[in-house]
Structure formats: C-alpha cells, structure tokens
Amino acid sequence: MQKENRDALQRNYVKLVKETPVDLVVGHLYQTGILTDELREEILQNPNTYSKTRQLISTIQRRGPHAFDGFCTALIDEGKSALVHHLKASMTEKSEVSKDRAMLPIGDDIFVVVSEWCDKVLVHIRKYEKNSAAIYVPTKKGVALTLNQWQLLEMYVNEIEDAIGQMIDDVSEVPEMTFHLGKGVYITVNKIYPTVDVRQRWMTPDTNQIVSTKKGISLTYDKWEALKGTFPAVREAVPEFENTIPCILSDDHQNQERMLNCSTCNPFGEPL
Ligand SMILES: [Zn+2]
C-alpha cells in the first residue's frame, strides 16, 4: 500500500473504527482476493467490532497496491461512500501541503526525513513511533533543518568528527564544542554525554539568556555514523541543493559586519 493511503487510514483511524461495517467489508475483500481465507478468519475471530476493524486496517496495509482501492470499493458497496469521500479528501489535502521525499532510518525508530511542507523542503532528524495500526508517526522529539542548515551540518562533518575524537580521547580543553548551523540550531559534542546533540536554542526575552529548547535530538555515536551515511540519499532527494548555498559562504558575508548583522548567522545579535 502507498504511503499516502496508509497516512489517510491513520488520520481517519477513529472514524474508520467507528463506522466500518467490518464483517461485510471483510467479506468483500475476501471475494476480491485482497484477503486470504486465513486472514479473513483471523480478523473475524476477534471478540468485537472494534478489534476486528483495528486488525482489518492494519492487515490491508500489507496487502499490496490494490488493497486501499479495494477497501474503498467495499465501503462504497456497503453504503459508506461518505466515509470514502472523507478518506480521499484528507489524502489530497495532505499531499498538497506535506509530502515526504525520503525517509531514511538511522536506528531505534529515528529517521532522517526529507519532507516538503507548504513548498518548503526540510530535513528532519526525528524520532518516530508506531501507532496502534503499526504505522510510523512522527513524534515531537527531533529537529527540522532548513536546506542551509543541513548543508552546514555536512560542511562541519570533519570538525564534528574531530570534536568527537577529542571528547573520546579526553584531550579536549573545553567540556563541549558547538557548531552553529544557523538560526540558533546548534550541534553540540559534549564530554560527559557521548552524543551528538542537534538542537534549537533561543534567547529568553526577559534575561537575554541563550538556552536550549526541547526542539532537538541527541544522537548516540552509532546513530551519528548512520546519519552521515544518509548524506548521499538526502542529496539525491533534494535537487534544490544545487541552487542553494548557506549565506555564511556568500560573498556578502566576507564582510564581517554583514555577517554579524545576519539573522541566520548571528540570530541572537551577539557581539564578536
Ligand atoms: Zn548569514
């Protein structure tokens, strides 16, 4: 089943569980060959409609490219065309605003996800979790990087590696090393926590202190390794990289004053 179909099922999950005439739909799907006899039995042996429907929805997601249309047809045949309309409407809605171009696992349900959101391409490093229908859904734990921020992350890779090495060998003179990706997103390599932390910072309006926010994710070194492994696939998913350069590399920024005045490079307006 296509991702957009799975997403539509997931978004309408509660409604589907309430309104699907599950026994009849299962009958249809068996007749059209989408469910085997065995799967039909498995679903129908559940004690109630709720658990039958739950299992039906998770089962059809593994039943090939025609399962979604088959499911919709079965619903329409059973007088549930409004439900199908709802399902399909949510699909077009979603695909217009948000589309994932790539979803690359780096371990423990953390993914590097290239997504388009309102015409803007972002690269997420984000923890996902499986919902009750066994579909991966994003959690709040993670960070969304702009293309420029991702480019800087790539650019700093050797220095970050170097910092990790210094922390591991315990030869660093400082407790942590940070790399600014722009707009207050920092990569931090720390002596005490053996992780690479990618996180948004912001300035508290009252005390003008720069503090870490919850928008971020800490990667163990093995996940950092895996993240580096996604660079080629991310590049492939983002042809726009050819036409974007981080402002820090622009001619304009050779002038230090310009750089200090840049809200991307110096978001908190710090002096030199
Ligand atoms: Zn700048």
Side-chain angles (χ1 to χ4, degrees), residues 247-248 253 262 264-265:
C247 61
I248 197 169
H253 279 44
C262 172
T264 296
C265 296

Side-chain angles (χ1 to χ4, degrees), residues 246-250 252-253 258-266:
C247 61
I248 197 169
L249 299 179
S250 66
D252 177 81
H253 279 44
R258 288 269 176 76
M259 192 159 121
L260 286 176
N261 286 328
C262 172
S263 68
T264 296
C265 296
N266 191 14

Side-chain angles (χ1 to χ4, degrees), residues 234-253:
V234 171
R235 289 228 151 241
E236 204 169 301
V238 188
E240 289 90 341
F241 275 133
E242 298 222 346
N243 308 315
T244 49
I245 59 158
C247 61
I248 197 169
L249 299 179
S250 66
D251 289 343
D252 177 81
H253 279 44

